[in-house]
PDB file of all heavy atoms in Angstrom:
ATOM      1  N   GLU A   1     -10.016  -4.197   6.416  1.00  0.00           N
ATOM      2  CA  GLU A   1     -10.184  -3.469   7.699  1.00  0.00           C
ATOM      3  C   GLU A   1     -10.014  -4.414   8.869  1.00  0.00           C
ATOM      4  O   GLU A   1      -9.380  -4.064   9.849  1.00  0.00           O
ATOM      5  CB  GLU A   1     -11.545  -2.796   7.758  1.00  0.00           C
ATOM      6  CG  GLU A   1     -11.775  -2.057   9.089  1.00  0.00           C
ATOM      7  CD  GLU A   1     -13.189  -1.355   9.100  1.00  0.00           C
ATOM      8  OE1 GLU A   1     -13.824  -1.213   8.053  1.00  0.00           O
ATOM      9  OE2 GLU A   1     -13.504  -0.810  10.176  1.00  0.00           O
ATOM     10  N   ALA A   2     -10.623  -5.592   8.805  1.00  0.00           N
ATOM     11  CA  ALA A   2     -10.497  -6.566   9.907  1.00  0.00           C
ATOM     12  C   ALA A   2      -9.052  -6.992  10.146  1.00  0.00           C
ATOM     13  O   ALA A   2      -8.677  -7.294  11.256  1.00  0.00           O
ATOM     14  CB  ALA A   2     -11.381  -7.759   9.632  1.00  0.00           C
ATOM     15  N   ILE A   3      -8.285  -7.041   9.137  1.00  0.00           N
ATOM     16  CA  ILE A   3      -6.883  -7.528   9.234  1.00  0.00           C
ATOM     17  C   ILE A   3      -5.968  -6.405   9.568  1.00  0.00           C
ATOM     18  O   ILE A   3      -5.045  -6.535  10.432  1.00  0.00           O
ATOM     19  CB  ILE A   3      -6.430  -8.163   7.816  1.00  0.00           C
ATOM     20  CG1 ILE A   3      -7.327  -9.406   7.557  1.00  0.00           C
ATOM     21  CG2 ILE A   3      -5.009  -8.548   7.935  1.00  0.00           C
ATOM     22  CD1 ILE A   3      -7.116  -9.924   6.137  1.00  0.00           C
ATOM     23  N   THR A   4      -6.133  -5.237   8.932  1.00  0.00           N
ATOM     24  CA  THR A   4      -5.138  -4.132   9.043  1.00  0.00           C
ATOM     25  C   THR A   4      -5.511  -3.112  10.146  1.00  0.00           C
ATOM     26  O   THR A   4      -4.564  -2.418  10.647  1.00  0.00           O
ATOM     27  CB  THR A   4      -5.087  -3.339   7.723  1.00  0.00           C
ATOM     28  OG1 THR A   4      -6.365  -2.709   7.467  1.00  0.00           O
ATOM     29  CG2 THR A   4      -4.755  -4.271   6.554  1.00  0.00           C
ATOM     30  N   GLY A   5      -6.699  -3.026  10.478  1.00  0.00           N
ATOM     31  CA  GLY A   5      -7.202  -1.973  11.379  1.00  0.00           C
ATOM     32  C   GLY A   5      -7.531  -0.681  10.712  1.00  0.00           C
ATOM     33  O   GLY A   5      -7.936   0.267  11.345  1.00  0.00           O
ATOM     34  N   VAL A   6      -7.317  -0.567   9.376  1.00  0.00           N
ATOM     35  CA  VAL A   6      -7.589   0.575   8.616  1.00  0.00           C
ATOM     36  C   VAL A   6      -9.031   0.648   8.203  1.00  0.00           C
ATOM     37  O   VAL A   6      -9.488  -0.318   7.624  1.00  0.00           O
ATOM     38  CB  VAL A   6      -6.703   0.701   7.360  1.00  0.00           C
ATOM     39  CG1 VAL A   6      -6.948   1.973   6.576  1.00  0.00           C
ATOM     40  CG2 VAL A   6      -5.235   0.597   7.749  1.00  0.00           C
ATOM     41  N   PRO A   7      -9.800   1.677   8.511  1.00  0.00           N
ATOM     42  CA  PRO A   7     -11.199   1.743   8.161  1.00  0.00           C
ATOM     43  C   PRO A   7     -11.354   1.512   6.629  1.00  0.00           C
ATOM     44  O   PRO A   7     -10.598   2.060   5.800  1.00  0.00           O
ATOM     45  CB  PRO A   7     -11.637   3.094   8.620  1.00  0.00           C
ATOM     46  CG  PRO A   7     -10.701   3.498   9.705  1.00  0.00           C
ATOM     47  CD  PRO A   7      -9.412   2.849   9.290  1.00  0.00           C
ATOM     48  N   ALA A   8     -12.397   0.838   6.229  1.00  0.00           N
ATOM     49  CA  ALA A   8     -12.666   0.533   4.859  1.00  0.00           C
ATOM     50  C   ALA A   8     -12.773   1.861   4.004  1.00  0.00           C
ATOM     51  O   ALA A   8     -12.354   1.911   2.885  1.00  0.00           O
ATOM     52  CB  ALA A   8     -13.964  -0.278   4.721  1.00  0.00           C
ATOM     53  N   ALA A   9     -13.357   2.872   4.642  1.00  0.00           N
ATOM     54  CA  ALA A   9     -13.582   4.123   3.967  1.00  0.00           C
ATOM     55  C   ALA A   9     -12.149   4.777   3.594  1.00  0.00           C
ATOM     56  O   ALA A   9     -12.025   5.347   2.508  1.00  0.00           O
ATOM     57  CB  ALA A   9     -14.349   5.119   4.807  1.00  0.00           C
ATOM     58  N   GLU A  10     -11.178   4.624   4.505  1.00  0.00           N
ATOM     59  CA  GLU A  10      -9.822   5.131   4.179  1.00  0.00           C
ATOM     60  C   GLU A  10      -9.197   4.376   2.999  1.00  0.00           C
ATOM     61  O   GLU A  10      -8.540   4.918   2.160  1.00  0.00           O
ATOM     62  CB  GLU A  10      -8.901   5.007   5.415  1.00  0.00           C
ATOM     63  CG  GLU A  10      -9.041   6.064   6.428  1.00  0.00           C
ATOM     64  CD  GLU A  10      -7.936   5.978   7.437  1.00  0.00           C
ATOM     65  OE1 GLU A  10      -6.883   5.534   7.193  1.00  0.00           O
ATOM     66  OE2 GLU A  10      -8.286   6.364   8.670  1.00  0.00           O
ATOM     67  N   ILE A  11      -9.431   3.048   2.975  1.00  0.00           N
ATOM     68  CA  ILE A  11      -8.935   2.240   1.874  1.00  0.00           C
ATOM     69  C   ILE A  11      -9.604   2.633   0.563  1.00  0.00           C
ATOM     70  O   ILE A  11      -8.893   2.752  -0.459  1.00  0.00           O
ATOM     71  CB  ILE A  11      -9.110   0.744   2.175  1.00  0.00           C
ATOM     72  CG1 ILE A  11      -8.404   0.362   3.552  1.00  0.00           C
ATOM     73  CG2 ILE A  11      -8.657  -0.159   1.044  1.00  0.00           C
ATOM     74  CD1 ILE A  11      -8.723  -1.085   3.975  1.00  0.00           C
ATOM     75  N   GLU A  12     -10.861   2.837   0.608  1.00  0.00           N
ATOM     76  CA  GLU A  12     -11.568   3.299  -0.587  1.00  0.00           C
ATOM     77  C   GLU A  12     -11.047   4.609  -1.120  1.00  0.00           C
ATOM     78  O   GLU A  12     -10.819   4.776  -2.322  1.00  0.00           O
ATOM     79  CB  GLU A  12     -13.062   3.400  -0.323  1.00  0.00           C
ATOM     80  CG  GLU A  12     -13.781   2.143   0.031  1.00  0.00           C
ATOM     81  CD  GLU A  12     -14.359   1.413  -1.197  1.00  0.00           C
ATOM     82  OE1 GLU A  12     -14.142   1.866  -2.293  1.00  0.00           O
ATOM     83  OE2 GLU A  12     -15.055   0.341  -1.008  1.00  0.00           O
ATOM     84  N   ALA A  13     -10.811   5.520  -0.176  1.00  0.00           N
ATOM     85  CA  ALA A  13     -10.304   6.857  -0.597  1.00  0.00           C
ATOM     86  C   ALA A  13      -8.877   6.738  -1.218  1.00  0.00           C
ATOM     87  O   ALA A  13      -8.604   7.388  -2.188  1.00  0.00           O
ATOM     88  CB  ALA A  13     -10.295   7.771   0.601  1.00  0.00           C
ATOM     89  N   PHE A  14      -8.025   5.939  -0.601  1.00  0.00           N
ATOM     90  CA  PHE A  14      -6.679   5.688  -1.124  1.00  0.00           C
ATOM     91  C   PHE A  14      -6.780   5.080  -2.544  1.00  0.00           C
ATOM     92  O   PHE A  14      -6.052   5.504  -3.422  1.00  0.00           O
ATOM     93  CB  PHE A  14      -5.831   4.917  -0.192  1.00  0.00           C
ATOM     94  CG  PHE A  14      -4.523   4.488  -0.656  1.00  0.00           C
ATOM     95  CD1 PHE A  14      -3.662   5.327  -1.305  1.00  0.00           C
ATOM     96  CD2 PHE A  14      -4.085   3.158  -0.404  1.00  0.00           C
ATOM     97  CE1 PHE A  14      -2.441   4.954  -1.740  1.00  0.00           C
ATOM     98  CE2 PHE A  14      -2.830   2.782  -0.870  1.00  0.00           C
ATOM     99  CZ  PHE A  14      -2.006   3.693  -1.558  1.00  0.00           C
ATOM    100  N   ALA A  15      -7.648   4.108  -2.681  1.00  0.00           N
ATOM    101  CA  ALA A  15      -7.726   3.435  -3.950  1.00  0.00           C
ATOM    102  C   ALA A  15      -8.237   4.362  -5.032  1.00  0.00           C
ATOM    103  O   ALA A  15      -7.681   4.375  -6.187  1.00  0.00           O
ATOM    104  CB  ALA A  15      -8.626   2.217  -3.829  1.00  0.00           C
ATOM    105  N   ARG A  16      -9.195   5.184  -4.712  1.00  0.00           N
ATOM    106  CA  ARG A  16      -9.720   6.191  -5.709  1.00  0.00           C
ATOM    107  C   ARG A  16      -8.577   7.188  -6.046  1.00  0.00           C
ATOM    108  O   ARG A  16      -8.417   7.520  -7.256  1.00  0.00           O
ATOM    109  CB  ARG A  16     -10.935   6.958  -5.120  1.00  0.00           C
ATOM    110  CG  ARG A  16     -12.202   6.180  -5.205  1.00  0.00           C
ATOM    111  CD  ARG A  16     -13.462   7.130  -4.995  1.00  0.00           C
ATOM    112  NE  ARG A  16     -13.307   7.864  -3.746  1.00  0.00           N
ATOM    113  CZ  ARG A  16     -13.662   7.453  -2.624  1.00  0.00           C
ATOM    114  NH1 ARG A  16     -14.261   6.216  -2.452  1.00  0.00           N
ATOM    115  NH2 ARG A  16     -13.575   8.205  -1.513  1.00  0.00           N
ATOM    116  N   LEU A  17      -7.811   7.634  -5.072  1.00  0.00           N
ATOM    117  CA  LEU A  17      -6.772   8.597  -5.345  1.00  0.00           C
ATOM    118  C   LEU A  17      -5.742   8.044  -6.352  1.00  0.00           C
ATOM    119  O   LEU A  17      -5.436   8.711  -7.335  1.00  0.00           O
ATOM    120  CB  LEU A  17      -6.043   8.980  -4.096  1.00  0.00           C
ATOM    121  CG  LEU A  17      -4.827   9.937  -4.214  1.00  0.00           C
ATOM    122  CD1 LEU A  17      -5.273  11.195  -4.804  1.00  0.00           C
ATOM    123  CD2 LEU A  17      -4.170  10.135  -2.882  1.00  0.00           C
ATOM    124  N   VAL A  18      -5.268   6.844  -6.163  1.00  0.00           N
ATOM    125  CA  VAL A  18      -4.272   6.286  -7.081  1.00  0.00           C
ATOM    126  C   VAL A  18      -4.939   5.835  -8.406  1.00  0.00           C
ATOM    127  O   VAL A  18      -4.258   5.805  -9.427  1.00  0.00           O
ATOM    128  CB  VAL A  18      -3.386   5.166  -6.429  1.00  0.00           C
ATOM    129  CG1 VAL A  18      -2.644   5.738  -5.251  1.00  0.00           C
ATOM    130  CG2 VAL A  18      -4.300   3.995  -5.999  1.00  0.00           C
ATOM    131  N   GLY A  19      -6.138   5.482  -8.297  1.00  0.00           N
ATOM    132  CA  GLY A  19      -6.874   5.095  -9.500  1.00  0.00           C
ATOM    133  C   GLY A  19      -7.076   6.298 -10.468  1.00  0.00           C
ATOM    134  O   GLY A  19      -6.950   6.182 -11.673  1.00  0.00           O
ATOM    135  N   GLU A  20      -7.386   7.395  -9.857  1.00  0.00           N
ATOM    136  CA  GLU A  20      -7.644   8.605 -10.719  1.00  0.00           C
ATOM    137  C   GLU A  20      -6.401   9.372 -11.035  1.00  0.00           C
ATOM    138  O   GLU A  20      -6.457  10.292 -11.919  1.00  0.00           O
ATOM    139  CB  GLU A  20      -8.588   9.524  -9.911  1.00  0.00           C
ATOM    140  CG  GLU A  20     -10.025   8.938  -9.704  1.00  0.00           C
ATOM    141  CD  GLU A  20     -10.846   9.801  -8.754  1.00  0.00           C
ATOM    142  OE1 GLU A  20     -10.263  10.638  -8.055  1.00  0.00           O
ATOM    143  OE2 GLU A  20     -12.075   9.496  -8.635  1.00  0.00           O
ATOM    144  N   THR A  21      -5.248   9.078 -10.387  1.00  0.00           N
ATOM    145  CA  THR A  21      -4.029   9.795 -10.583  1.00  0.00           C
ATOM    146  C   THR A  21      -3.011   8.923 -11.290  1.00  0.00           C
ATOM    147  O   THR A  21      -2.367   8.022 -10.674  1.00  0.00           O
ATOM    148  CB  THR A  21      -3.470  10.211  -9.215  1.00  0.00           C
ATOM    149  OG1 THR A  21      -4.483  10.876  -8.444  1.00  0.00           O
ATOM    150  CG2 THR A  21      -2.310  11.197  -9.387  1.00  0.00           C
ATOM    151  N   LYS A  22      -2.928   9.057 -12.606  1.00  0.00           N
ATOM    152  CA  LYS A  22      -2.047   8.169 -13.352  1.00  0.00           C
ATOM    153  C   LYS A  22      -0.548   8.335 -12.971  1.00  0.00           C
ATOM    154  O   LYS A  22       0.129   7.331 -12.952  1.00  0.00           O
ATOM    155  CB  LYS A  22      -2.211   8.406 -14.863  1.00  0.00           C
ATOM    156  CG  LYS A  22      -3.611   7.994 -15.373  1.00  0.00           C
ATOM    157  CD  LYS A  22      -3.848   6.477 -15.186  1.00  0.00           C
ATOM    158  CE  LYS A  22      -5.128   5.989 -15.803  1.00  0.00           C
ATOM    159  NZ  LYS A  22      -5.358   4.541 -15.498  1.00  0.00           N
ATOM    160  N   ARG A  23      -0.185   9.526 -12.721  1.00  0.00           N
ATOM    161  CA  ARG A  23       1.239   9.772 -12.307  1.00  0.00           C
ATOM    162  C   ARG A  23       1.317   9.574 -10.805  1.00  0.00           C
ATOM    163  O   ARG A  23       1.625  10.473 -10.041  1.00  0.00           O
ATOM    164  CB  ARG A  23       1.673  11.194 -12.702  1.00  0.00           C
ATOM    165  CG  ARG A  23       1.746  11.460 -14.231  1.00  0.00           C
ATOM    166  CD  ARG A  23       2.094  12.891 -14.463  1.00  0.00           C
ATOM    167  NE  ARG A  23       2.042  13.193 -15.884  1.00  0.00           N
ATOM    168  CZ  ARG A  23       3.050  13.113 -16.789  1.00  0.00           C
ATOM    169  NH1 ARG A  23       4.221  12.815 -16.369  1.00  0.00           N
ATOM    170  NH2 ARG A  23       2.868  13.442 -18.054  1.00  0.00           N
ATOM    171  N   SER A  24       1.146   8.341 -10.349  1.00  0.00           N
ATOM    172  CA  SER A  24       1.373   7.980  -8.998  1.00  0.00           C
ATOM    173  C   SER A  24       2.685   7.232  -8.821  1.00  0.00           C
ATOM    174  O   SER A  24       2.932   6.271  -9.572  1.00  0.00           O
ATOM    175  CB  SER A  24       0.204   7.097  -8.429  1.00  0.00           C
ATOM    176  OG  SER A  24      -0.970   7.884  -8.304  1.00  0.00           O
ATOM    177  N   TYR A  25       3.540   7.759  -7.974  1.00  0.00           N
ATOM    178  CA  TYR A  25       4.905   7.152  -7.791  1.00  0.00           C
ATOM    179  C   TYR A  25       4.857   6.456  -6.417  1.00  0.00           C
ATOM    180  O   TYR A  25       4.743   7.107  -5.376  1.00  0.00           O
ATOM    181  CB  TYR A  25       5.892   8.296  -7.856  1.00  0.00           C
ATOM    182  CG  TYR A  25       7.345   7.810  -7.954  1.00  0.00           C
ATOM    183  CD1 TYR A  25       8.119   7.953  -9.108  1.00  0.00           C
ATOM    184  CD2 TYR A  25       8.012   7.224  -6.860  1.00  0.00           C
ATOM    185  CE1 TYR A  25       9.405   7.533  -9.221  1.00  0.00           C
ATOM    186  CE2 TYR A  25       9.298   6.760  -7.003  1.00  0.00           C
ATOM    187  CZ  TYR A  25      10.020   6.973  -8.154  1.00  0.00           C
ATOM    188  OH  TYR A  25      11.297   6.562  -8.245  1.00  0.00           O
ATOM    189  N   PHE A  26       5.042   5.177  -6.526  1.00  0.00           N
ATOM    190  CA  PHE A  26       5.072   4.364  -5.255  1.00  0.00           C
ATOM    191  C   PHE A  26       6.517   4.199  -4.779  1.00  0.00           C
ATOM    192  O   PHE A  26       7.324   3.497  -5.453  1.00  0.00           O
ATOM    193  CB  PHE A  26       4.446   3.007  -5.459  1.00  0.00           C
ATOM    194  CG  PHE A  26       2.956   3.018  -5.649  1.00  0.00           C
ATOM    195  CD1 PHE A  26       2.402   3.403  -6.867  1.00  0.00           C
ATOM    196  CD2 PHE A  26       2.073   2.713  -4.675  1.00  0.00           C
ATOM    197  CE1 PHE A  26       1.063   3.438  -7.090  1.00  0.00           C
ATOM    198  CE2 PHE A  26       0.736   2.744  -4.850  1.00  0.00           C
ATOM    199  CZ  PHE A  26       0.230   3.100  -6.074  1.00  0.00           C
ATOM    200  N   ARG A  27       6.879   4.833  -3.690  1.00  0.00           N
ATOM    201  CA  ARG A  27       8.234   4.696  -3.150  1.00  0.00           C
ATOM    202  C   ARG A  27       8.159   3.667  -1.978  1.00  0.00           C
ATOM    203  O   ARG A  27       7.652   3.974  -0.920  1.00  0.00           O
ATOM    204  CB  ARG A  27       8.733   6.080  -2.619  1.00  0.00           C
ATOM    205  CG  ARG A  27      10.164   6.005  -2.097  1.00  0.00           C
ATOM    206  CD  ARG A  27      11.129   5.588  -3.161  1.00  0.00           C
ATOM    207  NE  ARG A  27      12.506   5.664  -2.747  1.00  0.00           N
ATOM    208  CZ  ARG A  27      13.135   4.636  -2.000  1.00  0.00           C
ATOM    209  NH1 ARG A  27      12.467   3.590  -1.675  1.00  0.00           N
ATOM    210  NH2 ARG A  27      14.428   4.766  -1.697  1.00  0.00           N
ATOM    211  N   LEU A  28       8.597   2.475  -2.280  1.00  0.00           N
ATOM    212  CA  LEU A  28       8.435   1.317  -1.388  1.00  0.00           C
ATOM    213  C   LEU A  28       9.743   1.105  -0.560  1.00  0.00           C
ATOM    214  O   LEU A  28      10.803   0.947  -1.133  1.00  0.00           O
ATOM    215  CB  LEU A  28       8.122   0.100  -2.258  1.00  0.00           C
ATOM    216  CG  LEU A  28       6.946   0.188  -3.212  1.00  0.00           C
ATOM    217  CD1 LEU A  28       6.837  -1.071  -4.102  1.00  0.00           C
ATOM    218  CD2 LEU A  28       5.661   0.456  -2.442  1.00  0.00           C
ATOM    219  N   GLY A  29       9.597   1.097   0.744  1.00  0.00           N
ATOM    220  CA  GLY A  29      10.730   1.050   1.651  1.00  0.00           C
ATOM    221  C   GLY A  29      11.121  -0.355   2.073  1.00  0.00           C
ATOM    222  O   GLY A  29      10.516  -1.396   1.568  1.00  0.00           O
ATOM    223  N   TYR A  30      11.947  -0.444   3.028  1.00  0.00           N
ATOM    224  CA  TYR A  30      12.366  -1.745   3.615  1.00  0.00           C
ATOM    225  C   TYR A  30      11.548  -2.140   4.842  1.00  0.00           C
ATOM    226  O   TYR A  30      11.345  -3.310   5.110  1.00  0.00           O
ATOM    227  CB  TYR A  30      13.852  -1.671   4.060  1.00  0.00           C
ATOM    228  CG  TYR A  30      14.813  -1.685   2.937  1.00  0.00           C
ATOM    229  CD1 TYR A  30      15.378  -0.470   2.412  1.00  0.00           C
ATOM    230  CD2 TYR A  30      15.270  -2.925   2.373  1.00  0.00           C
ATOM    231  CE1 TYR A  30      16.303  -0.521   1.396  1.00  0.00           C
ATOM    232  CE2 TYR A  30      16.135  -2.893   1.313  1.00  0.00           C
ATOM    233  CZ  TYR A  30      16.679  -1.719   0.860  1.00  0.00           C
ATOM    234  OH  TYR A  30      17.615  -1.735  -0.173  1.00  0.00           O
ATOM    235  N   GLY A  31      11.020  -1.093   5.558  1.00  0.00           N
ATOM    236  CA  GLY A  31      10.481  -1.372   6.823  1.00  0.00           C
ATOM    237  C   GLY A  31       9.318  -2.413   6.799  1.00  0.00           C
ATOM    238  O   GLY A  31       9.249  -3.282   7.686  1.00  0.00           O
ATOM    239  N   PHE A  32       8.398  -2.281   5.836  1.00  0.00           N
ATOM    240  CA  PHE A  32       7.243  -3.182   5.821  1.00  0.00           C
ATOM    241  C   PHE A  32       7.526  -4.592   5.345  1.00  0.00           C
ATOM    242  O   PHE A  32       6.707  -5.425   5.411  1.00  0.00           O
ATOM    243  CB  PHE A  32       6.081  -2.509   5.040  1.00  0.00           C
ATOM    244  CG  PHE A  32       6.240  -2.558   3.534  1.00  0.00           C
ATOM    245  CD1 PHE A  32       5.348  -3.361   2.797  1.00  0.00           C
ATOM    246  CD2 PHE A  32       7.183  -1.874   2.890  1.00  0.00           C
ATOM    247  CE1 PHE A  32       5.436  -3.378   1.397  1.00  0.00           C
ATOM    248  CE2 PHE A  32       7.287  -1.869   1.472  1.00  0.00           C
ATOM    249  CZ  PHE A  32       6.387  -2.616   0.735  1.00  0.00           C
ATOM    250  N   THR A  33       8.802  -4.755   4.938  1.00  0.00           N
ATOM    251  CA  THR A  33       9.190  -6.177   4.559  1.00  0.00           C
ATOM    252  C   THR A  33       9.871  -6.924   5.692  1.00  0.00           C
ATOM    253  O   THR A  33      10.229  -8.070   5.539  1.00  0.00           O
ATOM    254  CB  THR A  33      10.158  -6.123   3.393  1.00  0.00           C
ATOM    255  OG1 THR A  33      11.449  -5.614   3.738  1.00  0.00           O
ATOM    256  CG2 THR A  33       9.570  -5.334   2.208  1.00  0.00           C
ATOM    257  N   ARG A  34      10.060  -6.278   6.861  1.00  0.00           N
ATOM    258  CA  ARG A  34      10.777  -6.908   7.983  1.00  0.00           C
ATOM    259  C   ARG A  34       9.770  -7.570   8.828  1.00  0.00           C
ATOM    260  O   ARG A  34       9.793  -7.459  10.063  1.00  0.00           O
ATOM    261  CB  ARG A  34      11.650  -5.888   8.694  1.00  0.00           C
ATOM    262  CG  ARG A  34      12.837  -5.500   7.755  1.00  0.00           C
ATOM    263  CD  ARG A  34      13.863  -4.594   8.392  1.00  0.00           C
ATOM    264  NE  ARG A  34      14.900  -4.338   7.402  1.00  0.00           N
ATOM    265  CZ  ARG A  34      15.447  -3.134   7.176  1.00  0.00           C
ATOM    266  NH1 ARG A  34      15.028  -2.052   7.797  1.00  0.00           N
ATOM    267  NH2 ARG A  34      16.375  -3.002   6.288  1.00  0.00           N
ATOM    268  N   ASN A  35       8.915  -8.356   8.205  1.00  0.00           N
ATOM    269  CA  ASN A  35       7.926  -9.244   8.829  1.00  0.00           C
ATOM    270  C   ASN A  35       8.123 -10.616   8.160  1.00  0.00           C
ATOM    271  O   ASN A  35       8.683 -10.734   7.076  1.00  0.00           O
ATOM    272  CB  ASN A  35       6.519  -8.784   8.599  1.00  0.00           C
ATOM    273  CG  ASN A  35       6.242  -7.485   9.377  1.00  0.00           C
ATOM    274  OD1 ASN A  35       5.843  -7.459  10.484  1.00  0.00           O
ATOM    275  ND2 ASN A  35       6.404  -6.344   8.665  1.00  0.00           N
ATOM    276  N   ARG A  36       7.634 -11.664   8.782  1.00  0.00           N
ATOM    277  CA  ARG A  36       7.827 -13.008   8.229  1.00  0.00           C
ATOM    278  C   ARG A  36       7.060 -13.172   6.961  1.00  0.00           C
ATOM    279  O   ARG A  36       7.337 -14.125   6.182  1.00  0.00           O
ATOM    280  CB  ARG A  36       7.361 -14.052   9.265  1.00  0.00           C
ATOM    281  CG  ARG A  36       8.419 -14.136  10.379  1.00  0.00           C
ATOM    282  CD  ARG A  36       7.912 -14.882  11.627  1.00  0.00           C
ATOM    283  NE  ARG A  36       8.972 -14.961  12.644  1.00  0.00           N
ATOM    284  CZ  ARG A  36       9.250 -13.989  13.430  1.00  0.00           C
ATOM    285  NH1 ARG A  36       8.587 -12.850  13.415  1.00  0.00           N
ATOM    286  NH2 ARG A  36      10.234 -14.131  14.382  1.00  0.00           N
ATOM    287  N   ASN A  37       6.192 -12.311   6.582  1.00  0.00           N
ATOM    288  CA  ASN A  37       5.480 -12.291   5.284  1.00  0.00           C
ATOM    289  C   ASN A  37       5.969 -11.073   4.442  1.00  0.00           C
ATOM    290  O   ASN A  37       5.245 -10.643   3.525  1.00  0.00           O
ATOM    291  CB  ASN A  37       3.985 -12.259   5.447  1.00  0.00           C
ATOM    292  CG  ASN A  37       3.475 -11.079   6.240  1.00  0.00           C
ATOM    293  OD1 ASN A  37       4.248 -10.179   6.608  1.00  0.00           O
ATOM    294  ND2 ASN A  37       2.198 -11.056   6.512  1.00  0.00           N
ATOM    295  N   GLY A  38       7.171 -10.586   4.735  1.00  0.00           N
ATOM    296  CA  GLY A  38       7.669  -9.313   4.136  1.00  0.00           C
ATOM    297  C   GLY A  38       7.784  -9.339   2.614  1.00  0.00           C
ATOM    298  O   GLY A  38       7.479  -8.347   1.969  1.00  0.00           O
ATOM    299  N   ALA A  39       8.277 -10.453   2.083  1.00  0.00           N
ATOM    300  CA  ALA A  39       8.445 -10.525   0.599  1.00  0.00           C
ATOM    301  C   ALA A  39       7.054 -10.449  -0.106  1.00  0.00           C
ATOM    302  O   ALA A  39       6.917  -9.854  -1.167  1.00  0.00           O
ATOM    303  CB  ALA A  39       9.214 -11.835   0.159  1.00  0.00           C
ATOM    304  N   VAL A  40       6.114 -11.143   0.511  1.00  0.00           N
ATOM    305  CA  VAL A  40       4.660 -11.082  -0.033  1.00  0.00           C
ATOM    306  C   VAL A  40       4.129  -9.696   0.062  1.00  0.00           C
ATOM    307  O   VAL A  40       3.435  -9.236  -0.910  1.00  0.00           O
ATOM    308  CB  VAL A  40       3.864 -12.137   0.715  1.00  0.00           C
ATOM    309  CG1 VAL A  40       2.411 -12.056   0.245  1.00  0.00           C
ATOM    310  CG2 VAL A  40       4.357 -13.511   0.606  1.00  0.00           C
ATOM    311  N   ASN A  41       4.379  -8.996   1.092  1.00  0.00           N
ATOM    312  CA  ASN A  41       3.925  -7.638   1.242  1.00  0.00           C
ATOM    313  C   ASN A  41       4.523  -6.698   0.142  1.00  0.00           C
ATOM    314  O   ASN A  41       3.778  -5.909  -0.435  1.00  0.00           O
ATOM    315  CB  ASN A  41       4.264  -7.092   2.626  1.00  0.00           C
ATOM    316  CG  ASN A  41       3.568  -7.736   3.792  1.00  0.00           C
ATOM    317  OD1 ASN A  41       2.495  -8.332   3.564  1.00  0.00           O
ATOM    318  ND2 ASN A  41       4.144  -7.706   4.969  1.00  0.00           N
ATOM    319  N   MET A  42       5.809  -6.852  -0.051  1.00  0.00           N
ATOM    320  CA  MET A  42       6.445  -6.029  -1.083  1.00  0.00           C
ATOM    321  C   MET A  42       5.784  -6.307  -2.474  1.00  0.00           C
ATOM    322  O   MET A  42       5.464  -5.395  -3.185  1.00  0.00           O
ATOM    323  CB  MET A  42       7.954  -6.301  -1.148  1.00  0.00           C
ATOM    324  CG  MET A  42       8.665  -5.642  -2.286  1.00  0.00           C
ATOM    325  SD  MET A  42       8.610  -3.861  -2.369  1.00  0.00           S
ATOM    326  CE  MET A  42       9.853  -3.433  -1.106  1.00  0.00           C
ATOM    327  N   HIS A  43       5.683  -7.564  -2.766  1.00  0.00           N
ATOM    328  CA  HIS A  43       5.144  -7.931  -4.134  1.00  0.00           C
ATOM    329  C   HIS A  43       3.716  -7.428  -4.285  1.00  0.00           C
ATOM    330  O   HIS A  43       3.336  -6.916  -5.350  1.00  0.00           O
ATOM    331  CB  HIS A  43       5.136  -9.483  -4.317  1.00  0.00           C
ATOM    332  CG  HIS A  43       4.533  -9.932  -5.584  1.00  0.00           C
ATOM    333  ND1 HIS A  43       3.305 -10.589  -5.618  1.00  0.00           N
ATOM    334  CD2 HIS A  43       4.932  -9.811  -6.870  1.00  0.00           C
ATOM    335  CE1 HIS A  43       2.995 -10.831  -6.859  1.00  0.00           C
ATOM    336  NE2 HIS A  43       3.966 -10.396  -7.667  1.00  0.00           N
ATOM    337  N   ALA A  44       2.882  -7.495  -3.216  1.00  0.00           N
ATOM    338  CA  ALA A  44       1.490  -6.973  -3.291  1.00  0.00           C
ATOM    339  C   ALA A  44       1.452  -5.490  -3.502  1.00  0.00           C
ATOM    340  O   ALA A  44       0.721  -5.005  -4.394  1.00  0.00           O
ATOM    341  CB  ALA A  44       0.770  -7.446  -2.038  1.00  0.00           C
TER     342      ALA A  44
END
């Protein structure tokens, strides 16, 4: 939360959703990699 600005409760809710939903399809784009740490973001 301190780094991203996203409230911890939102992060918890997202994590629970993908944790409980086995058929989760992550469609990963280009936009979030156009930062100087972009390759690390994609891998994470």
Side-chain angles (χ1 to χ4, degrees):
E1 178 177 350
I3 297 169
T4 65
V6 180
E10 280 189 30
I11 300 172
E12 294 270 3
F14 173 43
R16 281 196 305 274
L17 175 62
V18 297
E20 293 170 348
T21 311
K22 291 300 184 181
R23 294 179 187 266
S24 289
Y25 192 108
F26 289 78
R27 183 59 176 84
L28 306 174
Y30 286 98
F32 76 114
T33 71
R34 291 182 178 138
N35 292 273
R36 287 166 178 80
N37 57 4
V40 177
N41 292 338
M42 172 61 80
H43 176 253

